Amino acid sequence: MISGTVIRLQVDHLPTGGDPKPVWLWWSKTDATEADVDRCWQSFLRRFDIEHTFRLFKQTLGWTAPKIRDPESADRWTWIVIAAYAQLFLARPLTDDLRRPWERPAEPNRLTPARVRRGFRNLRSKTARPAGAPKPSTPGPGRPPGSRNHRPAPRHDVGRIVKTGEPYTRPSHHNKGTKPRRMG
C-alpha cells in the first residue's frame, strides 16, 4: 500500500466563464499542513508555466531541431535558445501585437513570447542600425562531387542500459568493416 495525501483543488470561476472542474493532486507526504497544501497547488501552477516554456523552446525556437553530435554543442545550442528567449522577453514592450483573428488583443507588456516573435520583424524600423548591410557572397566549393568523406563524424555512447542490466552494445554487423560483402 502506498500512503500519501490527495489534494482537491476547486476553482470558484474561470476567466472564460466555463464550468470549473476540480483538479486532484497527490503528494507522497501523509501529514500535510495547510502551508504544504498551498505550496503544492502553487507548484502545480508553476509547472504549467514551465511546460509551456519548454513547448515554446522546442516548437517555436527550435531547441530540439538540430542533430547535435556532442554534448558541448548541445550546451551551446541550449544557451543560444535561452538567449533568443531573453531577446523576445526584452523586445516585448517594443513590438506590436500582430494577433491572429481568433486571439484577443493584449497589452504590450502582457504579450506572449510567440506573439512577440510575430512582431519581431517590425522592430528594425524602431531600432538603430550600427552595422552596414551585409554583402552578398557565394558559398564555398565544398567537397568535390564523388569524393568520400575522410573524416567521419565522431560517435558518442549514449549510455543505454538493456533490461538485463548490461550496457548496450551494437550488433557486430553494425561495426565498421564487418558488413558482409555481396558476392557476384
Side-chain angles (χ1 to χ4, degrees):
M1 182 169 132
I2 299 174
S3 56
T5 303
V6 176
I7 302 168
R8 179 179 182 257
L9 299 177
Q10 181 66 43
V11 179
D12 293 335
H13 68 281
L14 296 174
T16 59
D19 183 31
K21 295 184 176 154
V23 175
W24 295 91
L25 303 175
W26 182 83
W27 193 30
S28 61
K29 193 173 178 181
T30 55
D31 51 349
T33 64
E34 190 171 330
D36 293 334
V37 172
D38 282 343
R39 189 171 352 117
C40 283
W41 72 262
Q42 289 171 358
S43 299
F44 176 75
L45 292 179
R46 292 297 110 203
R47 179 178 166 261
F48 180 79
D49 294 342
I50 290 170
E51 285 176 359
H52 280 276
T53 302
F54 279 113
R55 180 178 175 218
L56 171 88
F57 281 5
K58 290 179 178 181
Q59 292 180 352
T60 306
L61 300 181
W63 188 25
T64 56
K67 306 293 184 241
I68 297 176
R69 293 192 169 138
D70 59 286
E72 293 81 18
S73 296
D75 289 344
R76 279 192 301 273
W77 181 247
T78 298
W79 282 111
I80 288 171
V81 169
I82 291 170
Y85 178 76
Q87 292 271 325
L88 290 174
F89 183 79
L90 294 171
R92 190 165 42 174
L94 302 174
T95 57
D96 296 326
D97 185 14
L98 298 179
R99 61 187 177 91
R100 304 258 163 78
W102 58 84
E103 294 175 336
R104 293 182 187 166
E107 298 174 23
N109 288 335
R110 301 288 298 170
L111 293 177
T112 64
R115 283 169 86 163
V116 172
R117 183 176 169 261
R118 266 185 246 146
F120 203 78
R121 64 177 176 255
N122 299 332
L123 277 180
R124 187 166 184 256
S125 62
K126 297 179 181 179
T127 57
R129 292 176 205 92
K135 305 220 174 351
S137 67
T138 57
R143 193 169 61 231
S147 67
R148 294 181 55 96
N149 183 6
H150 296 293
R151 292 187 303 162
R155 303 289 177 200
H156 297 279
D157 180 27
V158 294
R160 290 193 288 182
I161 303 294
V162 186
K163 285 184 180 179
T164 61
E166 298 293 320
Y168 174 79
T169 56
R170 294 174 59 118
S172 61
H173 65 275
H174 285 210
N175 295 335
K176 185 176 179 182
T178 60
K179 185 175 180 181
R181 299 282 177 213
R182 191 183 298 179
M183 303 301 282

